[in-house]
Amino acid sequence: MPRPTPKNNEIKLDPGRYIVSRTDSKGIITFGNVYFCAICGYSVEELLGQPHNIIRHPDMPKIAFKLMWDTIQKGRDFVAVVKNMAKDGSYYWVMTEFIPKKDPATGEIVEYTAYRKAPPRAAIDIVEPLYKKLLAAEEQGGMEASEALLNEYLKKQGETYESWIVRITGKSNPITALFFKAMRKLFG
């Protein structure tokens, strides 16, 4: 499927709705809810069987996805603020929690579920300039340079990635935590 050309048009998410998608262990889409399709502009038929990076926006640094994959492949949950790209090239920001699911018999990861909602605008205001710097570092020195810059940034903040993302997204907020818990019950 051809990649759209990015355009400077933001799709604002309804804060009262959520996006849910599932992939197999290799990142191939196996499920997308109605709101996911409505926001990204692809039909469910177009999404099923496609790699989830079909919605990856080129403004996202590769190190963000390396960090995500390194974490979820270890069976741990991962939270991020992500800029995605719709089929028409528009973009939308999401706060995403990625949850791995293991086969109870083998312990192998068999699928990943992503629960997404509108992130706080303050979180976007923090990550957007950081992502631009990480992208510039990647262009100059590859993913290693981007990773070094991210680690330096977090060290200056005195935080791990996990504590930083919780702080900027308000994930420790009881209402936000309740949202993600409810999503797990509904779709887990």
Side-chain angles (χ1 to χ4, degrees):
M1 190 173 298
R3 303 279 296 170
T5 301
K7 61 184 182 181
N8 190 23
N9 180 51
E10 182 173 4
I11 300 168
K12 303 263 188 181
L13 298 186
D14 177 341
R17 298 191 67 190
Y18 52 88
I19 294 172
V20 180
S21 63
R22 278 197 197 104
T23 70
D24 65 14
S25 61
K26 302 213 182 327
I28 303 301
I29 298 171
T30 59
F31 170 81
N33 73 346
V34 171
Y35 192 51
F36 180 36
C37 295
I39 293 298
C40 75
Y42 291 100
S43 69
V44 72
E45 293 80 18
E46 289 173 306
L47 289 171
L48 295 179
Q50 294 296 318
H52 207 284
N53 67 12
I54 190 172
I55 60 167
R56 184 176 296 172
H57 196 285
D59 287 352
M60 283 299 298
K62 291 181 178 126
I63 190 61
F65 297 102
K66 178 187 183 304
L67 186 57
M68 177 202 70
W69 279 108
D70 287 353
T71 303
I72 64 176
Q73 286 178 334
K74 292 176 186 166
R76 297 190 346 238
D77 299 354
F78 185 79
V79 177
V81 175
V82 178
K83 184 178 187 179
N84 286 329
M85 186 165 56
K87 184 179 180 179
D88 71 355
S90 297
Y91 68 93
Y92 58 101
W93 287 96
V94 293
M95 181 171 114
T96 305
E97 183 170 18
F98 299 92
I99 312 287
K101 181 179 180 184
K102 293 182 180 181
D103 179 314
T106 66
E108 299 281 320
I109 295 172
V110 293
E111 73 178 17
Y112 300 103
T113 303
Y115 304 103
R116 297 179 202 81
K117 62 180 258 155
R121 183 55 57 178
I124 296 168
D125 293 343
I126 292 168
V127 300
E128 192 167 27
L130 175 61
Y131 288 172
K132 286 179 182 176
K133 290 176 185 173
L134 294 173
L135 271 175
E138 283 177 10
E139 289 172 9
Q140 294 294 312
M143 200 174 340
E144 295 80 17
S146 181
E147 185 172 26
L149 181 61
L150 178 61
N151 289 335
E152 179 184 316
Y153 173 84
L154 292 170
K155 186 176 180 181
K156 283 181 183 175
Q157 301 292 316
E159 296 185 275
T160 64
Y161 174 82
E162 291 80 9
S163 66
W164 174 76
I165 200 71
V166 164
R167 180 178 55 80
I168 70 163
T169 60
K171 187 159 184 313
S172 61
N173 174 311
I175 294 170
T176 302
L178 187 61
F179 163 80
F180 283 112
K181 186 176 181 179
M183 292 301 96
R184 283 181 175 203
K185 283 189 176 186
L186 281 172
F187 293 97

